[in-house]
Amino acid sequence: MKAILKDSENSIQKDKKTVNIVRKIKIVKNRYVKEELLTGFYEYIKRNNIIEVVDVKNADLIVSFGGDGTILVAAKETVKKDIPVLAVNMGTVGYMAEIKPENAVEMLENYQENKCIIDERAFLEVEYNGEIFYALNELLIIKGGLVSHLINVEVYANDIIVNKYRADGVIVATPTGSTAYSLSAGGSIVHPKLNALSITPLLPQSLTARPIIVNGNDKLSFKVYTRDNDAHLNIDGSECFRVTDTDEIKATLSEKKVKIIRSENSDYYNILREKLKWGDTF
Protein backbone atom coordinates (compact mmCIF):
# COMPACT_ATOMS: atom_id res chain seq x y z
CA MET A 1 0.00 0.00 0.00
CA LYS A 2 2.84 2.41 0.88
CA ALA A 3 4.48 1.71 -2.47
CA ILE A 4 1.21 2.51 -4.29
CA LEU A 5 0.82 5.79 -2.37
CA LYS A 6 4.43 6.75 -3.15
CA ASP A 7 3.94 6.08 -6.86
CA SER A 8 0.76 8.17 -6.78
CA GLU A 9 2.61 11.08 -5.13
CA ASN A 10 5.36 10.89 -7.74
CA SER A 11 2.77 11.01 -10.53
CA ILE A 12 1.20 14.12 -9.01
CA GLN A 13 4.63 15.77 -8.80
CA LYS A 14 5.30 14.98 -12.48
CA ASP A 15 1.93 16.43 -13.48
CA LYS A 16 2.60 19.71 -11.69
CA LYS A 17 3.59 22.46 -14.09
CA THR A 18 7.16 23.62 -13.60
CA VAL A 19 7.50 27.39 -13.59
CA ASN A 20 10.46 29.74 -13.40
CA ILE A 21 9.68 32.58 -11.04
CA VAL A 22 11.16 35.93 -12.10
CA ARG A 23 10.84 38.75 -9.59
CA LYS A 24 14.15 40.54 -10.12
CA ILE A 25 16.23 40.97 -13.28
CA LYS A 26 19.69 42.28 -14.07
CA ILE A 27 19.77 44.18 -17.38
CA VAL A 28 22.96 44.36 -19.44
CA LYS A 29 22.73 46.46 -22.58
CA ASN A 30 24.79 48.07 -25.29
CA ARG A 31 24.79 51.84 -24.84
CA TYR A 32 23.82 52.28 -28.51
CA VAL A 33 20.55 50.31 -28.32
CA LYS A 34 17.40 52.06 -29.53
CA GLU A 35 15.47 52.54 -26.31
CA GLU A 36 12.20 53.11 -28.17
CA LEU A 37 12.27 49.43 -29.18
CA LEU A 38 12.23 48.41 -25.51
CA THR A 39 9.19 50.42 -24.40
CA GLY A 40 6.90 47.39 -24.43
CA PHE A 41 9.39 45.32 -22.41
CA TYR A 42 9.77 47.96 -19.71
CA GLU A 43 6.01 48.44 -19.51
CA TYR A 44 5.60 44.67 -19.07
CA ILE A 45 8.07 44.33 -16.20
CA LYS A 46 6.56 47.39 -14.47
CA ARG A 47 3.05 45.99 -14.86
CA ASN A 48 4.14 42.62 -13.45
CA ASN A 49 6.18 44.08 -10.56
CA ILE A 50 9.47 42.74 -11.88
CA ILE A 51 12.27 44.83 -10.38
CA GLU A 52 15.53 45.76 -12.12
CA VAL A 53 18.52 45.25 -9.81
CA VAL A 54 22.15 46.32 -10.05
CA ASP A 55 23.77 43.39 -8.24
CA VAL A 56 23.39 40.15 -10.17
CA LYS A 57 23.47 38.21 -6.90
CA ASN A 58 19.96 39.54 -6.20
CA ALA A 59 18.60 38.65 -9.66
CA ASP A 60 16.58 35.68 -10.93
CA LEU A 61 17.46 36.35 -14.57
CA ILE A 62 19.84 38.38 -16.72
CA VAL A 63 18.42 40.19 -19.77
CA SER A 64 20.93 41.19 -22.45
CA PHE A 65 20.06 43.90 -24.99
CA GLY A 66 22.65 44.10 -27.76
CA GLY A 67 24.70 41.75 -29.90
CA ASP A 68 27.00 38.87 -29.09
CA GLY A 69 29.49 41.30 -27.55
CA THR A 70 26.88 42.28 -24.97
CA ILE A 71 26.28 38.61 -24.21
CA LEU A 72 29.99 38.26 -23.35
CA VAL A 73 29.48 40.91 -20.67
CA ALA A 74 26.28 39.23 -19.44
CA ALA A 75 27.99 35.82 -19.43
CA LYS A 76 30.68 37.07 -17.04
CA GLU A 77 27.89 38.03 -14.63
CA THR A 78 26.71 34.41 -14.53
CA VAL A 79 30.06 33.40 -13.06
CA LYS A 80 28.97 35.32 -9.94
CA LYS A 81 25.51 33.70 -9.91
CA ASP A 82 24.36 30.75 -12.00
CA ILE A 83 21.21 32.16 -13.61
CA PRO A 84 20.08 32.13 -17.28
CA VAL A 85 20.50 34.90 -19.84
CA LEU A 86 17.63 36.12 -22.02
CA ALA A 87 19.56 37.48 -25.01
CA VAL A 88 17.72 40.02 -27.18
CA ASN A 89 19.47 40.75 -30.47
CA MET A 90 19.90 44.48 -31.02
CA GLY A 91 23.27 44.16 -32.72
CA THR A 92 24.34 43.01 -36.18
CA VAL A 93 25.15 39.32 -36.70
CA GLY A 94 24.01 37.75 -33.43
CA TYR A 95 24.85 34.02 -33.37
CA MET A 96 23.88 33.74 -29.70
CA ALA A 97 21.39 36.61 -29.41
CA GLU A 98 18.56 35.40 -31.61
CA ILE A 99 15.50 36.93 -29.91
CA LYS A 100 14.07 39.96 -31.70
CA PRO A 101 13.14 43.03 -29.57
CA GLU A 102 9.45 42.65 -30.45
CA ASN A 103 9.53 39.08 -29.09
CA ALA A 104 11.31 39.86 -25.80
CA VAL A 105 8.13 39.90 -23.69
CA GLU A 106 6.85 36.68 -25.28
CA MET A 107 10.16 34.90 -24.57
CA LEU A 108 10.20 36.14 -20.97
CA GLU A 109 6.70 34.72 -20.52
CA ASN A 110 7.73 31.47 -22.21
CA TYR A 111 10.70 31.16 -19.84
CA GLN A 112 8.48 31.69 -16.81
CA GLU A 113 6.13 28.98 -18.11
CA ASN A 114 9.09 26.71 -18.94
CA LYS A 115 8.24 26.75 -22.66
CA CYS A 116 11.78 27.20 -23.91
CA ILE A 117 15.16 25.58 -24.38
CA ILE A 118 18.12 26.27 -22.10
CA ASP A 119 21.26 26.24 -24.24
CA GLU A 120 24.36 25.66 -22.11
CA ARG A 121 27.70 27.01 -23.37
CA ALA A 122 31.00 26.18 -21.65
CA PHE A 123 33.53 28.81 -20.63
CA LEU A 124 37.25 28.65 -21.29
CA GLU A 125 39.06 28.74 -17.95
CA VAL A 126 42.25 30.74 -18.32
CA GLU A 127 45.00 30.84 -15.70
CA TYR A 128 47.45 33.72 -16.01
CA ASN A 129 50.24 33.80 -13.42
CA GLY A 130 48.02 32.02 -10.90
CA GLU A 131 44.93 34.19 -11.43
CA ILE A 132 41.78 32.66 -12.96
CA PHE A 133 39.71 34.29 -15.73
CA TYR A 134 36.78 33.04 -17.79
CA ALA A 135 36.21 33.51 -21.52
CA LEU A 136 33.08 32.53 -23.40
CA ASN A 137 34.70 33.08 -26.81
CA GLU A 138 38.46 32.93 -26.84
CA LEU A 139 41.93 33.45 -25.51
CA LEU A 140 44.18 35.43 -27.85
CA ILE A 141 47.97 35.70 -27.70
CA ILE A 142 48.97 38.40 -30.17
CA LYS A 143 51.82 40.70 -31.13
CA GLY A 144 51.62 44.28 -29.93
CA GLY A 145 51.01 46.24 -33.13
CA LEU A 146 51.68 46.75 -36.84
CA VAL A 147 55.39 47.49 -36.37
CA SER A 148 55.90 44.66 -33.88
CA HIS A 149 57.84 41.57 -34.92
CA LEU A 150 56.18 38.18 -35.30
CA ILE A 151 55.94 36.31 -32.03
CA ASN A 152 56.82 32.70 -31.25
CA VAL A 153 54.19 30.75 -29.34
CA GLU A 154 54.74 27.20 -28.13
CA VAL A 155 51.47 25.35 -27.42
CA TYR A 156 51.39 22.29 -25.16
CA ALA A 157 48.54 19.87 -24.37
CA ASN A 158 49.01 18.01 -21.09
CA ASP A 159 52.72 19.05 -21.23
CA ILE A 160 53.13 17.50 -24.71
CA ILE A 161 54.15 19.91 -27.46
CA VAL A 162 51.38 20.53 -30.03
CA ASN A 163 53.19 23.02 -32.24
CA LYS A 164 55.52 25.98 -32.33
CA TYR A 165 53.91 28.90 -34.11
CA ARG A 166 55.73 31.88 -35.58
CA ALA A 167 52.84 34.20 -36.36
CA ASP A 168 50.99 37.39 -35.52
CA GLY A 169 49.30 35.38 -32.79
CA VAL A 170 47.35 32.29 -31.73
CA ILE A 171 43.64 32.01 -30.97
CA VAL A 172 42.26 29.35 -28.62
CA ALA A 173 38.47 29.30 -29.00
CA THR A 174 35.59 27.53 -27.31
CA PRO A 175 32.90 26.00 -29.55
CA THR A 176 30.90 29.19 -28.96
CA GLY A 177 33.90 31.30 -29.97
CA SER A 178 34.51 29.23 -33.09
CA THR A 179 32.09 31.52 -34.99
CA ALA A 180 33.84 34.68 -33.77
CA TYR A 181 37.47 35.80 -34.28
CA SER A 182 38.64 32.23 -34.90
CA LEU A 183 36.28 31.89 -37.88
CA SER A 184 37.57 35.15 -39.35
CA ALA A 185 41.11 33.80 -39.05
CA GLY A 186 40.26 30.61 -40.96
CA GLY A 187 39.34 28.37 -38.05
CA SER A 188 36.68 25.66 -38.16
CA ILE A 189 33.11 26.01 -36.91
CA VAL A 190 32.69 23.71 -33.90
CA HIS A 191 29.24 22.60 -32.74
CA PRO A 192 28.56 24.07 -29.26
CA LYS A 193 27.69 20.67 -27.79
CA LEU A 194 31.18 19.29 -28.47
CA ASN A 195 33.73 19.08 -25.69
CA ALA A 196 36.50 20.63 -27.76
CA LEU A 197 38.80 23.61 -28.22
CA SER A 198 40.14 24.99 -31.48
CA ILE A 199 43.68 26.37 -31.87
CA THR A 200 44.01 28.76 -34.81
CA PRO A 201 47.27 30.50 -35.77
CA LEU A 202 46.86 34.14 -36.79
CA LEU A 203 48.71 34.87 -40.06
CA PRO A 204 51.42 32.23 -39.49
CA GLN A 205 54.77 32.50 -41.28
CA SER A 206 54.58 28.82 -42.24
CA LEU A 207 51.99 27.69 -44.80
CA THR A 208 51.83 24.30 -43.06
CA ALA A 209 50.59 25.80 -39.77
CA ARG A 210 46.90 24.91 -39.77
CA PRO A 211 44.04 25.12 -37.24
CA ILE A 212 43.58 22.08 -35.02
CA ILE A 213 40.71 20.94 -32.80
CA VAL A 214 41.73 19.33 -29.50
CA ASN A 215 40.00 17.63 -26.60
CA GLY A 216 38.35 20.19 -24.33
CA ASN A 217 39.66 18.28 -21.29
CA ASP A 218 43.26 18.84 -22.36
CA LYS A 219 45.24 21.20 -20.17
CA LEU A 220 46.78 23.66 -22.59
CA SER A 221 49.82 25.75 -21.70
CA PHE A 222 51.74 28.37 -23.65
CA LYS A 223 55.22 29.81 -23.87
CA VAL A 224 55.61 33.16 -25.61
CA TYR A 225 58.88 34.50 -27.03
CA THR A 226 59.35 37.89 -28.70
CA ARG A 227 62.21 39.94 -30.11
CA ASP A 228 60.84 43.27 -28.91
CA ASN A 229 58.98 42.25 -25.71
CA ASP A 230 55.69 43.27 -27.32
CA ALA A 231 53.12 40.50 -26.98
CA HIS A 232 49.71 40.54 -25.30
CA LEU A 233 47.21 38.12 -23.79
CA ASN A 234 43.62 39.08 -24.53
CA ILE A 235 40.70 37.29 -22.85
CA ASP A 236 37.35 37.84 -24.59
CA GLY A 237 38.37 41.42 -25.33
CA SER A 238 37.76 42.43 -21.71
CA GLU A 239 41.07 41.60 -20.01
CA CYS A 240 44.40 42.37 -21.65
CA PHE A 241 47.92 41.78 -20.31
CA ARG A 242 51.39 42.38 -21.68
CA VAL A 243 53.19 39.03 -21.51
CA THR A 244 56.80 37.96 -21.27
CA ASP A 245 58.57 34.63 -21.68
CA THR A 246 58.43 34.06 -17.92
CA ASP A 247 54.63 34.37 -17.64
CA GLU A 248 52.55 31.24 -17.06
CA ILE A 249 49.49 30.90 -19.28
CA LYS A 250 47.20 27.87 -19.09
CA ALA A 251 43.72 27.08 -20.40
CA THR A 252 41.12 24.33 -20.46
CA LEU A 253 37.39 24.02 -21.11
CA SER A 254 35.64 24.86 -17.85
CA GLU A 255 32.84 23.03 -16.08
CA LYS A 256 31.21 26.45 -15.63
CA LYS A 257 28.58 27.19 -18.26
CA VAL A 258 26.36 30.07 -19.25
CA LYS A 259 22.69 29.21 -19.82
CA ILE A 260 21.08 31.01 -22.76
CA ILE A 261 17.30 30.96 -23.20
CA ARG A 262 16.11 29.96 -26.66
CA SER A 263 12.75 29.27 -28.26
CA GLU A 264 11.57 25.66 -28.40
CA ASN A 265 12.02 25.57 -32.18
CA SER A 266 15.56 27.00 -32.09
CA ASP A 267 17.85 25.32 -34.64
CA TYR A 268 21.65 25.81 -34.53
CA TYR A 269 22.16 24.87 -38.17
CA ASN A 270 19.39 27.22 -39.25
CA ILE A 271 21.17 30.03 -37.38
CA LEU A 272 24.38 29.25 -39.27
CA ARG A 273 22.57 29.15 -42.60
CA GLU A 274 20.90 32.47 -41.88
CA LYS A 275 23.91 34.33 -40.49
CA LEU A 276 26.47 32.95 -42.95
CA LYS A 277 24.11 33.12 -45.92
CA TRP A 278 24.67 29.46 -46.77
CA GLY A 279 22.87 28.44 -49.95
CA ASP A 280 22.35 32.02 -51.13
CA THR A 281 22.84 32.65 -54.83
CA PHE A 282 24.95 35.57 -55.95
Side-chain angles (χ1 to χ4, degrees):
M1 179 63 73
K2 288 183 179 180
I4 295 173
L5 288 173
K6 188 174 181 180
D7 289 342
S8 177
E9 288 174 2
N10 289 339
S11 298
I12 293 171
Q13 284 295 111
K14 289 178 182 178
D15 290 338
K16 286 183 178 179
K17 189 175 182 180
T18 304
V19 295
N20 298 306
I21 298 173
V22 178
R23 295 193 179 98
K24 298 178 181 179
I25 61 173
K26 163 79 175 181
I27 294 179
V28 178
K29 62 182 176 182
N30 186 309
R31 59 178 176 172
Y32 300 110
V33 299
K34 296 179 180 179
E35 292 289 343
E36 61 270 22
L37 297 178
L38 304 179
T39 302
F41 181 84
Y42 284 118
E43 288 177 349
Y44 174 83
I45 63 173
K46 183 178 180 180
R47 190 166 60 249
N48 288 274
N49 298 315
I50 298 174
I51 302 170
E52 181 182 351
V53 297
V54 175
D55 190 344
V56 70
K57 293 179 181 178
N58 298 323
D60 305 307
L61 178 72
I62 298 173
V63 182
S64 167
F65 292 117
D68 286 350
T70 308
I71 292 184
L72 296 183
V73 178
K76 298 292 174 65
E77 293 289 318
T78 70
V79 175
K80 304 172 189 174
K81 185 176 181 180
D82 185 19
I83 54 177
V85 176
L86 181 70
V88 181
N89 185 15
M90 303 185 74
T92 51
V93 181
Y95 288 100
M96 291 183 286
E98 63 175 6
I99 301 169
K100 296 179 180 179
E102 59 268 28
N103 297 331
V105 169
E106 179 185 0
M107 280 304 301
L108 177 55
E109 290 180 331
N110 285 346
Y111 169 70
Q112 292 178 91
E113 296 171 7
N114 205 30
K115 297 178 180 178
C116 61
I117 295 171
I118 302 298
D119 183 11
E120 295 188 345
R121 301 292 185 93
F123 284 100
L124 179 68
E125 185 173 301
V126 182
E127 182 179 346
Y128 174 63
N129 289 339
E131 191 172 356
I132 301 297
F133 301 89
Y134 292 95
L136 184 58
N137 271 357
E138 75 271 310
L139 166 163
L140 170 65
I141 299 172
I142 191 169
K143 71 175 189 174
L146 291 175
V147 297
S148 300
H149 293 284
L150 296 179
I151 61 175
N152 295 285
V153 182
E154 295 179 1
V155 181
Y156 297 83
N158 302 323
D159 297 323
I160 299 172
I161 186 73
V162 175
N163 203 351
K164 298 180 181 180
Y165 299 99
R166 180 168 173 76
D168 276 5
V170 172
I171 304 166
V172 178
T174 64
T176 297
S178 70
T179 53
Y181 195 4
S182 178
L183 181 62
S184 300
S188 298
I189 296 174
V190 182
H191 193 282
K193 296 299 182 184
L194 291 179
N195 181 33
L197 291 171
S198 59
I199 303 171
T200 305
L202 188 60
L203 298 176
Q205 187 181 56
S206 171
L207 293 177
T208 61
R210 293 288 181 243
I212 182 173
I213 297 173
V214 301
N215 190 326
N217 294 329
D218 284 352
K219 308 295 182 182
L220 302 181
S221 56
F222 311 86
K223 286 293 182 182
V224 184
Y225 304 96
T226 64
R227 287 174 57 186
D228 48 12
N229 195 31
D230 196 12
H232 298 266
L233 168 66
N234 190 300
I235 303 169
D236 259 0
S238 57
E239 288 98 7
C240 189
F241 307 95
R242 193 166 192 149
V243 298
T244 68
D245 58 5
T246 60
D247 288 335
E248 291 189 355
I249 305 171
K250 301 176 183 178
T252 190
L253 205 60
S254 175
E255 292 183 0
K256 290 183 179 292
K257 297 181 179 180
V258 59
K259 300 171 182 174
I260 301 173
I261 298 168
R262 298 197 182 280
S263 64
E264 288 184 318
N265 58 359
S266 179
D267 178 354
Y268 176 72
Y269 297 111
N270 184 58
I271 293 171
L272 289 181
R273 289 194 302 272
E274 177 187 343
K275 302 302 180 181
L276 297 177
K277 309 299 181 184
W278 285 353
D280 282 8
T281 56
F282 297 95

